[in-house]
Each structure stands twice: as C-alpha cells, then as structure tokens.
C-alpha cells in the first residue's frame, strides 16, 4: 500500500501531509483519545521526510532502506557526513525521534493506580513542543540540503 501511495505523491508531499494531520489532531478539543494518532502521524511524516532526504542525496540502497522503520532510516542517514551533525542530536536521547518512541511507550503502558503522581504524563504542551521541534528540524535539514 505504501508503494501505491508513493506513486501518487512524492515523499516531500507525504511528509507535509502527515505533518498537517498531526497539527490538525492537536487543534481538536478532545485530544485524549488522539495522542497516539498524533504520534503515529508525526512518525510517518518523519519517515517520509527521511525518504525525501534519501532521494535528494541519492543513496544507492534507497529501495532497501525505504522498507526500514522510521528510526532505522534516520540512523542510516546519520552516517552521511554532510548532515550527521543535524541528525544525531534528534535520534539520540532527548531528540525528536526518541521522544516520539518514549511517548508511544507511555501511552501503551498500563496505568498504575498505586502511584499518587508521576512526571511521565503527556499533555498538550509537550505534544506542541514536539511538533514545533519537528518543524524546526525538518526546515533546518531542507535548507541545509538545498544549499549543498
């Protein structure tokens, strides 16, 4: 199915589309049941953006890499010396990619009623910050690749 979608639209269009979907999900009032959809949309956006970068830098293994997970694509891209300084901070601890995966784990883990409070809650502010960071990161990478 993903291959059929890529025949209709380019990777950059799909990356922008999924980013818009994530933004629209945050703008809705009843976000409680849509946190996971937001994270999936953002992850798909970054996955298609990784495909866009692979197309721009013309990696020989693009066909094989397009089947990887989002995180694996970015780890593969981090080996490129031209953009590794921009990618490595976002795939390491505290980066956009790692935050998406940690938030997904928090959403899927069972709630503990025996705890009085916890710092691991996911609120609208954290999700907005994650979306803003992904916008800045994508913009920085696109500008860097366009200049090279």
């Amino acid at each position: 199915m993903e291959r059929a979608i890529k025949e209709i639209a380019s990777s950059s269009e799909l990356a922008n589309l999924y980013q818009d979907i994530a933004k629209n999900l945050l703008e809705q009032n009843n976000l409680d049941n849509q946190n996971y959809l937001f994270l999936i949309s953002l992850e798909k956006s970054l996955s298609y953006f990784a495909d866009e970068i692979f197309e721009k830098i013309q990696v020989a293994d693009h066909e094989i890499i397009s089947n990887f997970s989002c995180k694996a694509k970015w780890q593969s891209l981090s080996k490129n010396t031209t953009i590794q300084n921009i990618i490595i901070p976002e795939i390491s601890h505290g980066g956009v990619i790692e935050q998406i995966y940690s938030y997904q784990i928090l959403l899927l883990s069972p709630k503990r009623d025996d705890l009085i409070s916890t710092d691991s809650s996911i609120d609208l502010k954290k999700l907005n910050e994650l979306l803003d960071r992904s916008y800045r990161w994508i913009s920085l990478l696109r500008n860097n690749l366009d200049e090279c």
Side-chain angles (χ1 to χ4, degrees):
M1 168 131 175
E2 190 168 317
R3 182 173 290 183
I5 291 172
K6 280 192 170 185
E7 290 178 7
I8 297 171
S10 69
S11 295
S12 62
E13 290 171 337
L14 290 170
N16 292 338
L17 173 69
Y18 277 103
Q19 221 172 19
D20 290 342
I21 290 170
K23 182 181 177 188
N24 290 337
L25 284 169
L26 280 185
E27 291 173 351
Q28 294 181 2
N29 292 334
N30 56 349
L31 187 66
D32 292 337
N33 298 325
Q34 297 174 345
N35 288 345
Y36 196 69
L37 288 175
F38 165 79
L39 293 171
I40 289 172
S41 297
L42 195 56
E43 180 183 7
K44 289 292 271 183
S45 171
L46 292 172
S47 180
Y48 283 121
F49 181 57
D51 290 342
E52 176 187 347
I53 293 173
F54 278 116
E55 292 165 6
K56 283 184 179 180
I57 61 176
Q58 301 191 2
V59 175
D61 297 334
H62 175 65
E63 189 63 36
I64 298 168
I65 292 171
S66 66
N67 296 327
F68 287 177
S69 69
C70 180
K71 188 174 183 177
K73 288 178 184 181
W74 286 105
Q75 287 172 338
S76 179
L77 276 172
S78 70
K79 295 174 185 168
N80 186 310
T81 56
T82 309
I83 53 177
Q84 76 182 42
N85 292 337
I86 301 172
I87 294 175
I88 290 176
E90 299 302 338
I91 63 172
S92 60
H93 184 70
V96 171
I97 302 291
E98 282 301 314
Q99 277 191 325
I100 290 172
Y101 284 107
S102 66
Y103 287 170
Q104 286 176 346
I105 289 169
L106 281 173
L107 286 174
L108 294 175
S109 63
K111 305 285 185 241
R112 293 192 53 192
D113 293 333
D114 58 340
L115 294 178
I116 295 173
S117 68
T118 180
D119 288 337
S120 62
S121 65
I122 302 171
D123 57 7
L124 187 59
K125 182 180 177 184
K126 287 181 181 179
L127 295 178
N128 271 316
E129 288 174 358
L130 183 61
L131 183 63
D132 289 341
R133 284 183 63 195
S134 72
Y135 275 135
R136 286 192 304 269
W137 185 39
I138 287 174
S139 176
L140 178 65
L141 272 168
R142 278 188 177 144
N143 290 338
N144 189 4
L145 289 172
D146 289 341
E147 290 175 4
C148 292

